[in-house]
Amino acid sequence: MDHEPEREQRYREFVALLTRHDLSIRRFVRSLLPSRDGVDDVVQDTALECWKKFSEFNPERSEESADGFIRWACVIARYKAMSWQRNKARDRLVFRETVIERLAQAALDNLDQQQMEQSAIEVCLGKLQEDQRRLVLSVHSPGESIANIAQETGEAARRLYRKVNVLRKRLLECVAQRIAAEVSNG
Amino acid sequence: MTRNLIFKAIDQTATPAEFDRLQDAIEQDHEVRAEYLRAVRLCESLGEIASGAFSVNSSKTDVPVRFAKQNESTHRSLAGGLKLSRFAIAATMLIAVGVATFWFGQQENSTTNVADKGEQTETIKESQIAGHATLRRSVDLKWTAGGNEYRDGDVLTNGSLQFEEGVAEIDFFCGATLIVEGPAALNIESDWSVEVTSGRLRANVPPAARGFIVRAAGSEIVDLGTEFALEVRAENARVEVIDGEVEIRGGEHNGNHLLTGQRQWLIGTETPESLNGLSTLDELRIRQENAASERFDTWQALSQKLRQDERLVAYFPIAENLAQRFVRNAAGTGDILDGKLVGPVERATGRFGPKSTGLAFGHPGARVRTRIDREFKAFTFACWVRIDSLEHVYNALFMSDGYETGESHWQIRNDGRLMFSVMVDDTQSVQTFSELEQREVETAGLARVYYSEPIWDISKSGQWFHLAAVYDPVGRRVVQYANGMQVGSEEIIDKFYIDTLRIGPAEIGNWGQPFRKTPWFSVRNLNGTIDELAVFDAALTTKEINTLFENGKPLGY
């Protein structure tokens, strides 16, 4: 008989937004940290902080709430990324705060291109030869590195790095071209 | 070479000196910054694709297939030291603040079935909408201030529904239909149950929906088939079976069965009058059709006035159209601009109900062709559109054939953004990648696309929208509208400035490329219905666009 308490309703709203944007937030956080290290921690801190502050998040119009939420969450994520790097041991390479700020701004500016970019990457990957594709995917597998793979395949690491970088550059060029084509393809 | 430095940083093989050099470059040079972000996103995407792709074994393996190793860094986790996959984040959040996790299964894009996910990323996301019912029809609804407001055809999700006046017909997904008269306050709980705090309603429950539950005044009314009426007020509540059988559970009448003609007061005292006068489905339909037809008449009168506007170059009020193979241009420019129906264009119910029509472009060959030969000093395009789905990457509203200098394309991208674009100079060549030929080509043309914020997603399928795009060279601005509200506004910068505009041969609902050199054509037909397309040789103001919306809006807007 009771109406659902408002807090619970807000909460479900929050989880829906968070679930929808989880990947974008994760991407954003990854852009601000020097490696994948700490991304999970920062994303989680961000999620908790967002919930704590969710009562302050009040998009003016409901149709803006989706876009508004991600931008709002990214501001929180930026601070969390900074404090994570602040807490890291000195022997580790971390970004300066001014760098994080610049990167955060730039990452926010092209949030809405990510979908386009993602599909471009898939198409460009499809243009590589099978063995090239396997190579470039295997070195990027979570938990993998070029050094690991070099060790396993017996290929000299330096040569493997060169190979992988050539492929990465080719993919970057291809993606950039496709996006330019998309944007001018009115 | 900065790129190699970027890759070193990503691979974590950069020396501290190199890392510092990269930081300086990121800070000072926005190109490097952009390049760095692109590289990080690429590597992340490759990682995601790898974990997805490698879970599906490809047969030609000459490299041993490797699975993702656990990342060795320690994770502080609320759930007690578990590593989180990205799908677990929201679930953890649920545990963290102590809400039952069964809600999680009802969230958009959530993992309703973890077993289907394979690895931690999915390549194809099935779209999901939250909802339990549809507002099928309504008459004169006045929503309670501060609550949710819906339009006919909207999917209703769980939560409260409150209106002061009017009648609403609600179809629950299970098959039950409620006709609710205001003032009413309901709480939709699931496909199978609704709580009524106040209001009068008639519930119709077909065999497929047997067991549908209406909760009111401390009891549950379980419908065992067909039809009952319910009235809930502050001081009394009663139920009456119109036809069939209901069971009452909970409260003092727990276990009572009522049959056709029987009633039961749940609270309050008996009053002699019966629960008559509740609208039936047919009455509601007739009322609604009458109201819609009244709205239609009002619009027609206003539309007659619009036709006198000298800035109006082309105007296709399809709603009032007869069954011919052309649509009449009702602007002062006359029948030379009439649109010709080509291919499988279908006449569909328009936005004023069965009395009015729209044109549906659901098939790739469907198009309406017109030709507008004049120079424009500015553009305003406006139309009503009902989008069923955004099937293609680009979905056409109104497009000049080809893409020559001064011509415009008005369409909707598959992410729900409106796109308005103008060819600035088709003699320049730009390097782009050809989808068709799968290689780099010299593309003719310097053009600019102006995007709006997203205005559409699949939950809005079947709703009518008023869309407008204004290209204003004098004010140096491109403004886009949905339902009279601005949804995009961008400056026309020098590089993309052009003030001599043209249309030429053009299409409604599709894109013509008559001079292409191959038999292949881009599929851009709009899977939806278009009405009342207007083209002005002027930049209309926000107020004027809003008036167009107000004058033409269907019932319930």
Side-chain angles (χ1 to χ4, degrees), chain B residues 252-268:
Chain B
E252 53 181 301
H253 308 289
N254 188 19
N256 275 13
H257 279 241
L258 304 179
L259 298 169
T260 305
Q262 296 185 311
R263 28 183 131 128
Q264 178 79 68
W265 267 257
L266 301 171
I267 42 174

Side-chain angles (χ1 to χ4, degrees), chain B residues 405-417:
Chain B
T405 300
E407 292 182 352
S408 69
H409 284 169
W410 190 28
Q411 47 201 340
I412 308 173
R413 200 168 64 180
N414 62 354
D415 59 358
R417 290 172 196 274

Side-chain angles (χ1 to χ4, degrees), chain A residues 11-12 14-20 22, chain B residues 85-95 99-114 117 128 130:
Chain A
Y11 182 73
R12 278 191 282 122
F14 170 73
V15 173
L17 283 167
L18 187 70
T19 317
R20 192 178 325 150
D22 186 39
Chain B
S85 83
R86 53 175 259 245
F87 291 108
I89 297 277
T92 312
M93 291 294 305
L94 283 156
I95 296 160
V99 173
T101 48
F102 82 91
W103 288 118
F104 187 51
Q106 304 187 353
Q107 302 299 347
E108 193 178 353
N109 285 344
S110 71
T111 51
T112 39
N113 188 346
V114 179
K117 283 280 180 263
Q128 295 190 324

Side-chain angles (χ1 to χ4, degrees), chain B residues 98-149:
Chain B
V99 173
T101 48
F102 82 91
W103 288 118
F104 187 51
Q106 304 187 353
Q107 302 299 347
E108 193 178 353
N109 285 344
S110 71
T111 51
T112 39
N113 188 346
V114 179
D116 289 345
K117 283 280 180 263
E119 297 277 314
Q120 63 185 136
T121 50
E122 43 181 359
T123 40
I124 298 173
K125 263 224 177 83
E126 187 177 16
S127 57
Q128 295 190 324
I129 299 177
H132 299 300
T134 310
L135 177 61
R136 193 169 108 74
R137 245 200 299 249
S138 66
V139 180
D140 305 332
L141 274 192
K142 207 169 128 213
W143 296 98
T144 304
N148 296 326
E149 293 193 15

